[in-house]
Amino acid sequence: MSVSLRPALEATIAKTELARVESPRGFDAIVVGAGASGGMAALQLTAAGLDVLVLDAGWRDGFLQAPLRTATAALVRNIADPRLQTILPPKLVDYGTRALKLMGRLHQPVQTRCFAWPLAPDSFVCDRDRPYRVEEGEFHWFRTEQLGGKMIVPGHGRQYYRMGPRDLHPGDSLSPAWPLDPGELTRWYQDVEHLLGVTGEAEHDIPPERQVRPNASEQDAIIRIRRRWPTVRPMIGRSAAPLDSLGLSAAGERLWVRQGAIASQVLVDEGGVATGVRFVDRASRSVREARAPLVFLCASALESTRILMASEPPAGSIGARSGALGRHLMDHVILSGEGVGGALPGEPVENTPGRCVYLPRLDLRDGAVDGATQTRGHGAQLYRWSIGQGRSWFLCNSFAEMLPSPENRVTLDRERRDAFGLPTLRIRCQHSPAELARGEDQGRVLRELGEVFGVKFTRLLAGPATPGTAIHECGTARMGEDPANSVLDPFNQCWDAKGLYVTDGASFPSQGAQNPTLTILALTARSGGAARA
Ligand SMILES: Cc1cc2nc3c(=O)[nH]c(=O)nc-3n(C[C@H](O)[C@H](O)[C@H](O)COP(=O)(O)OP(=O)(O)OC[C@H]3O[C@@H](n4cnc5c(N)ncnc54)[C@H](O)[C@@H]3O)c2cc1C
């Protein structure tokens, strides 16, 4: 959480010395990762009166340790600054950005492909230090290492949607039902939306924390869409600024936060009970251990699974018994387009982060029948803002569910180690023929929307972007009713290790078409409640 560390959090970080982290006193709970899920876990557990240690990998090398990387990052951040962009000639900005991206690729060949990289290059991992290998297909694994995780990257979409009964209990053979009653999540969704202060319109007939009315430009968009497709139900997207959960937790005295702590293994005793976490301390480059009977793995979907796989209790990787560990990797099938349109009603319209018109189930736009295909439809998030001289910018992201396939998976490569000596991941991920066919319909939608809004596209994807591009990766340690085919129980506790919870997107049995973070937060809050009961 870069510049805005609250004083209480700074004091918390300062008090978390290695001697306390490793002391035999231990903690009541350890949370691995301080992103969306880790922050929520820390908030829940400290509020329940537990002493909680958060271990987060985030670390900034100084200029002397990484001169080229830090200098490039500083230049990239400056050139992405809108104030500078209004002063410099556009061509210079364009050439400068391209040149710096090329330099960035030396250390971050994957991360530079993320649209948000120029806004915060040093929030993203160094791919040279933390590599992975794609075995088959393609996968962009975008990762940040910092307090606040991906949620605080500038350019974050800030979209928060609930999964509905149809997503959680689909009643078809395309994915398993989630091991919970859909109504069970309602209370946790409400709590989280309240903390976030979600604004927008009602979804599944449920109002957000603060309802907003469409402005003139949004009203115009809604009218145009309804005129073109009377069956589509556009709504104002549900958005919120990032939640400073660690800042909130630090206000009590029960939080400890260690940065630059890369968790390598969960420790489990012979009785199958979690006892702590082993980690590499970046400052001293040494291997350390912290103790607690409760461990929350919240390092983001694939990293949490990597840690499970690398943990080696006497019986092998934790959670591997069912054969489901590492399988059912998903990321939304995403297509996007952007370009220039005409003046907007109510000019000038600001580019307000998170504010958009959401078009759920656009696959049903011409009266198509629900469930007629082997896929679950798609929705789109539509952004428009003024760019002067009677012109506007149009940006649309279309998201569709990737179904959980056992073939899309990660495995542990013990031969290939990262810069800290940790085993790395091999990833296999491909779109199915049905997903590719549906991607064609998503592309059609983008072109049709372009016609509706009179947009001249400057970028329009012809087919689904490389898996991982949506940055909504989920699955690989799914929850379920049966230890024979799942890694986690219905409360996200590992079947193989009492006291070990995995509450990030790794736990999703399927992903719906909604952006995942609200559900990650709700699941984490629910597990926090279960763990302390
Ligand atoms: C540009 C962008 C836009 C997005 N827009 C949206 C959106 O509009 N809506 C939405 O729902 N989602 C969106 N997402 C995705 C969303 O941010 C993620 O779903 C969410 O952040 C996942 O939370 P997490 O806690 O699982 O992981 P993260 O936020 O990635 O946090 C993981 C944390 O774990 C730490 N960590 C990693 N490895 C280790 C380790 N080995 N040991 C210790 N700590 C470790 C990291 O430092 C980090 O703090 C977006 C993502 C990006 C990058």
Side-chain angles (χ1 to χ4, degrees):
M1 197 172 297
S2 51
V3 281
S4 66
L5 280 183
R6 290 174 165 209
L9 184 51
E10 281 176 7
T12 299
I13 293 168
K15 81 173 179 184
T16 313
E17 292 176 350
L18 269 185
R20 172 65 185 101
V21 169
E22 292 201 296
S23 99
R25 259 169 79 197
F27 299 86
D28 297 323
I30 297 173
V31 175
V32 174
S37 51
M40 178 55 67
L43 189 57
Q44 288 285 326
L45 298 170
T46 50
L50 305 193
D51 283 346
V52 177
L53 169 67
V54 173
L55 296 174
D56 190 87
W59 185 255
R60 293 277 189 281
D61 281 321
F63 181 75
L64 290 180
Q65 286 85 42
L68 183 59
R69 185 147 42 95
T70 43
T72 309
L75 287 168
V76 171
R77 268 196 317 274
N78 280 319
I79 209 155
D81 186 333
R83 285 167 303 184
L84 200 64
Q85 295 199 357
T86 54
I87 303 167
L88 294 177
K91 274 215 164 132
L92 184 64
V93 172
D94 190 36
Y95 289 141
T97 309
R98 282 192 215 185
L100 288 168
K101 206 167 205 181
L102 277 178
M103 275 169 75
R105 274 192 200 151
L106 290 173
H107 292 102
Q108 296 173 297
V110 178
Q111 310 307 314
T112 43
R113 293 171 186 273
C114 178
F115 74 94
W117 177 83
L119 304 171
D122 40 10
S123 295
F124 289 86
V125 298
C126 170
D127 293 308
R128 301 277 173 230
D129 284 354
R130 306 275 272 138
Y132 67 98
R133 184 176 294 169
V134 177
E135 237 178 12
E136 231 181 305
E138 271 191 295
F139 195 88
H140 292 162
W141 186 12
F142 296 131
R143 296 187 267 175
T144 62
E145 284 181 348
Q146 59 184 355
L147 300 185
K150 294 194 278 279
M151 197 166 59
I152 63 159
V153 172
H156 191 270
R158 300 181 172 193
Q159 300 299 299
Y160 294 104
Y161 300 99
R162 296 185 184 200
M163 293 179 81
R166 181 177 179 281
D167 305 301
L168 299 169
H169 284 202
D172 56 28
S173 56
L174 300 180
S175 67
W178 286 49
L180 43 80
D181 187 73
E184 247 179 278
L185 275 188
T186 307
R187 175 191 150 201
W188 304 105
Y189 276 139
Q190 272 167 354
D191 284 1
V192 169
E193 286 171 359
H194 177 67
L195 276 168
L196 282 163
V198 172
T199 66
E201 271 193 71
E203 184 193 25
H204 308 296
D205 293 329
I206 297 154
E209 187 61 20
R210 190 163 65 80
Q211 217 144 351
V212 292
R213 299 197 59 73
N215 60 30
S217 138
E218 289 160 348
Q219 191 59 43
D220 164 69
I222 290 169
I223 290 169
R224 287 186 197 217
I225 287 161
R226 286 223 176 113
R227 201 180 294 141
R228 173 76 167 79
W229 298 297
T231 53
V232 172
R233 294 273 163 270
M235 59 188 266
I236 301 301
R238 292 161 70 97
S239 65
L243 178 63
D244 185 8
S245 32
L246 276 195
L248 290 169
S249 319
E253 295 289 303
R254 301 230 169 247
L255 187 70
W256 281 260
V257 175
R258 182 82 190 172
Q259 291 180 284
I262 310 177
S264 55
Q265 291 174 317
V266 177
L267 304 170
V268 175
D269 70 14
E270 292 195 344
V273 179
T275 57
V277 174
R278 185 169 294 148
F279 64 95
V280 176
D281 186 62
R282 276 170 123 146
S284 59
R285 292 256 163 176
S286 53
V287 176
R288 306 287 175 154
E289 286 181 9
R291 299 275 155 189
L294 202 54
V295 174
F296 270 64
L297 270 191
C298 303
S300 83
L302 303 190
E303 180 68 4
S304 288
T305 295
R306 195 192 64 74
I307 296 168
L308 283 179
M309 288 176 157
S311 302
E312 289 167 326
S317 298
I318 299 177
R321 208 158 29 116
S322 67
L325 185 64
R327 294 188 184 272
H328 311 108
L329 167 61
M330 299 164 269
D331 180 52
H332 281 136
V333 180
I334 179 172
L335 275 88
S336 59
E338 57 190 327
V340 179
L344 301 176
E347 291 252 62
V349 176
E350 297 279 312
N351 176 13
T352 310
R355 185 87 187 215
C356 72
V357 175
Y358 181 41
L359 311 169
R361 298 307 309 269
L362 259 174
D363 52 308
L364 305 180
R365 66 197 178 284
D366 288 321
V369 180
D370 196 358
T373 58
Q374 284 298 297
T375 66
R376 302 231 185 91
H378 53 84
Q381 286 150 21
L382 172 62
Y383 303 80
R384 291 193 306 163
W385 64 91
S386 310
I387 53 171
Q389 297 169 335
R391 297 174 311 153
S392 58
W393 195 253
F394 168 100
L395 167 65
C396 188
N397 293 323
S398 165
F399 291 110
E401 179 171 1
M402 179 186 265
L403 289 170
S405 156
E407 310 304 327
N408 288 336
R409 63 182 299 197
V410 299
T411 48
L412 197 66
D413 190 343
R414 289 186 190 275
E415 305 306 315
R416 192 174 190 220
R417 305 260 161 176
D418 70 11
F420 305 95
L422 307 179
T424 55
L425 281 187
R426 289 191 217 99
I427 302 181
R428 180 200 185 283
C429 192
Q430 281 174 329
H431 290 126
S432 70
E435 282 154 4
L436 290 174
R438 200 212 19 241
E440 283 178 22
D441 190 42
Q442 290 176 263
R444 237 181 335 267
V445 157
L446 290 175
R447 288 192 297 277
E448 288 169 2
L449 281 167
E451 284 164 23
V452 168
F453 292 98
V455 169
K456 196 170 166 211
F457 283 107
T458 53
R459 185 180 67 88
L460 180 61
L461 288 189
T466 300
T469 303
I471 330 176
H472 291 168
E473 67 276 12
C474 297
T476 66
R478 70 181 182 187
M479 58 200 287
E481 296 279 4
D482 185 351
N485 56 26
S486 57
V487 178
L488 310 172
D489 77 6
F491 281 90
N492 294 66
Q493 183 170 208
C494 192
W495 289 112
D496 290 356
K498 195 166 161 9
L500 169 60
Y501 289 77
V502 183
T503 67
D504 53 31
S507 65
F508 282 27
S510 62
Q511 64 167 176
Q514 299 86 343
N515 311 52
T517 311
L518 186 70
T519 302
I520 291 175
L521 290 168
L523 282 180
T524 305
R526 176 173 172 268
S527 304
R532 62 188 198 233

